Amino acid sequence: MPHPHRTAPAPRRRWWILGVLSTAQLLVVLDGTVMNIALPSAQAGLGFSDGGRQWIVTAYALAFGSLLPLGGRIADLFGRRAAFLTGLAGFAGTSALAGVAGGFGVLVAARAGQGLSSALLAPAALSLVGITFTEPGERATAFGVWGAAAGAGGAVGMPLGGVLTQYLGWRWAMYANTVVAGLALAAGALLLARDRHPRTSRLDVPGTLLVGTGLFCLVYGFAATGNHPWSAVATWGFLAAAGVLLTAFAWWQTRARHPLLPPRVVLDRDRAASLIALLQTSSAVFGVFLFGTYYLQRSLGYGPAATGLAYLPMIAALIATSPLATRVLLPRLGPRTVIAAGAALAASGLLLLGSLGLDSPYPTAVLPALVLAGAGLGTIITATTSLATLGVAPADSGAASATVNAMQYAGGSIGVALLTTVSTATAAARLAGRAGPDAAARAQADLAGYHAAFRCLAAAFAVCLLVAVPLYRRSPAARRTDTAPERAG
């Protein structure tokens, strides 16, 4: 008998539904990779500054990250199908708006609209995967496919964005999102059944306001470092406000009658460890694509299409390690070994990226670095996403999925802001005291900035090794029984 809190699709439809949900995940990643590859051309076309370019990424993350908890709870309260389809429709429309943007402000607004739509779409999709596949073997396969979809988004997005940007213009890279979202919307409307669960709780309005404004202030404060020093109120003021608001949110969740994020969702040690690892790993994903793109185009002189193709081996490594991590490595080795190995691989790739020169050959220098980074990131992302949603009651699945996505995109936006500060400060220091530096000096300064960003990312994987990995406590055998709460509610 189906659980009253979830839709139980017929077995023959489950895998078709997974295809639709994975396409949505592909779409979210596709947008990020397409935007990264198109960003230099969009910057040249619209004439915004290097300091402004981070807002094209951060505007999306601000809306997405600050509204994710609300989006996840809306999915729990009003139906995951409705939230999923509404998010897809909104994403299609705002992507079209980004394509027709005539100025920097419109493009930033469109990116924020994409973030808002994704805040509904992403937690609903991940929640549907978690409650549709509860049998351990099928669950491992489903999350392997889900993780591979993230890699496929990169595999499609980088070369597609490169080809579209180079031969049709960066605007067509935005229109590609509209096409994919439209196809997923049509398929989802046909395949997904309406939710058949009663509303047993209400929306936590105070919690929504506290966490939404807190996350906004957090991301904005870090993003402001691109244009303001750390001593400016626009930086430390927002960060201080974020600390107060998020602390108040955590306190309120222990007392609210219908908490937006029930404490039981995040107090599990394995889940907490996975969320910490996701926060760190997401900053590495965003950082590699952003600074890697600028390195390939500005330092090595690649065009957009060649840049997209250069990432294919990295994406192939990410796709290959995703199902391997969930189906083979986690059941046999447990999370401590798997996450530690993934962190070591990713850090090794980043250190290699941080040592490349202005004439580094792709086959022997760039390629090994990208493959190592992709293998490590694919191992961590898929394993931690599966572990972070394992054992969650269906009534909390939207909140748990929103928390997973919030950690990913908060990590990405904070990472981009901090790394941009590090990169630009390093480049400026290299040029300090030079009167009218020539092109060669500027190229060396930019390269030093990219190196600093990659090395910071590599060093930050110590968070995974020293904090997240020791938190994991359960054996693989114990984890196989952890889906019981999901089935029993």
Side-chain angles (χ1 to χ4, degrees):
M1 179 177 179
H3 192 283
H5 287 277
R6 73 172 217 230
T7 300
R12 65 179 179 275
R13 298 180 65 185
R14 282 203 303 270
W15 299 104
W16 287 104
I17 290 172
L18 177 63
V20 174
L21 300 176
S22 296
T23 299
Q25 171 71 355
L26 180 148
L27 175 67
V28 173
V29 179
L30 179 75
D31 175 68
T33 53
V34 164
M35 190 67 252
N36 272 308
I37 206 74
L39 188 53
S41 296
Q43 182 178 356
L46 298 180
F48 52 86
S49 66
D50 284 354
R53 74 189 180 199
Q54 79 177 58
W55 288 103
I56 305 301
V57 177
T58 305
Y60 177 94
L62 276 170
F64 190 20
S66 61
L67 295 174
L68 266 170
L70 175 61
R73 210 56 180 168
I74 286 175
D76 286 336
L77 294 175
F78 300 102
R80 299 174 186 93
R81 179 184 186 271
F84 178 74
L85 296 179
T86 301
L88 277 174
F91 199 94
T94 51
S95 295
L97 177 61
V100 300
F104 176 72
V106 176
L107 181 57
V108 170
R111 292 286 291 162
Q114 288 178 314
L116 170 64
S117 301
S118 294
L120 280 175
L121 165 66
L126 183 56
S127 174
L128 285 166
V129 174
I131 66 173
T132 299
F133 297 90
T134 57
E135 191 277 323
E138 287 190 347
R139 181 183 177 87
T141 300
F143 274 96
V145 172
W146 180 266
V156 173
M158 298 306 269
L160 176 64
V163 170
L164 291 175
T165 299
Q166 183 163 333
Y167 297 109
L168 295 177
W170 66 269
R171 298 180 187 277
W172 284 95
M174 300 297 97
Y175 298 145
N177 292 327
T178 301
V179 174
V180 176
L183 293 174
L185 178 63
L190 290 173
L191 289 170
L192 291 171
R194 295 184 182 276
D195 297 76
R196 300 187 184 92
H197 66 275
R199 287 178 56 188
T200 58
S201 63
R202 300 171 61 185
L203 183 63
D204 175 16
V205 176
T208 299
L209 294 174
L210 286 170
V211 73
T213 53
L215 289 172
F216 181 92
C217 289
L218 181 70
V219 176
Y220 185 89
F222 278 112
T225 60
N227 297 314
H228 304 283
W230 287 95
S231 59
V233 175
T235 301
W236 68 261
F238 276 95
L239 294 177
V244 172
L245 290 166
L246 293 176
T247 300
F249 170 74
W251 171 83
W252 173 250
Q253 294 307 282
T254 65
R255 288 156 176 79
R257 184 175 180 182
H258 303 287
L260 183 69
L261 178 59
R264 60 183 174 270
V265 172
V266 294
L267 290 181
D268 176 82
R269 282 182 58 180
D270 286 356
R271 190 167 297 116
S274 296
L275 293 174
I276 292 170
L278 279 170
L279 181 72
Q280 159 57 29
T281 305
S282 62
S283 66
V285 172
F286 278 75
V288 168
F289 281 133
L290 178 61
F291 292 97
T293 295
Y294 275 91
Y295 168 72
L296 290 171
Q297 293 192 19
R298 288 187 172 180
S299 297
L300 297 187
Y302 287 22
T307 301
L309 292 174
Y311 280 112
L312 282 180
M314 174 184 171
I315 304 304
L318 193 152
I319 292 175
T321 54
S322 292
L324 178 66
T326 54
R327 286 198 60 84
V328 179
L329 299 180
L330 271 180
R332 296 182 181 180
L333 303 176
R336 290 189 176 187
T337 302
V338 173
I339 304 305
L345 283 172
S348 298
L350 288 163
L351 287 173
L352 287 177
L353 287 171
S355 65
L356 299 175
L358 293 174
D359 56 354
S360 293
Y362 179 82
T364 59
V366 181
L367 176 61
L370 292 177
V371 169
L372 280 173
L377 295 173
T379 299
I380 298 176
I381 291 171
T382 308
T384 51
T385 302
S386 177
L387 291 167
T389 56
L390 187 61
V392 178
D396 295 330
S397 61
S401 299
T403 304
V404 169
N405 283 286
M407 297 302 281
Q408 290 177 316
Y409 280 87
S413 58
I414 292 169
V416 166
L418 289 176
L419 292 170
T420 299
T421 300
V422 169
S423 178
T424 54
T426 302
R430 289 291 296 266
L431 294 175
R434 292 175 178 265
D438 57 17
R442 292 185 181 277
Q444 288 290 348
D446 287 341
L447 180 64
Y450 307 149
H451 283 175
F454 289 132
R455 289 167 182 166
C456 284
L457 283 173
F461 269 102
V463 174
C464 285
L465 294 173
L466 300 178
V467 180
V469 170
L471 272 179
Y472 285 109
R473 65 184 176 191
R474 299 175 184 172
S475 67
R479 187 169 292 102
R480 294 190 187 100
T481 66
D482 223 7
T483 54
E486 227 171 332
R487 292 192 294 270

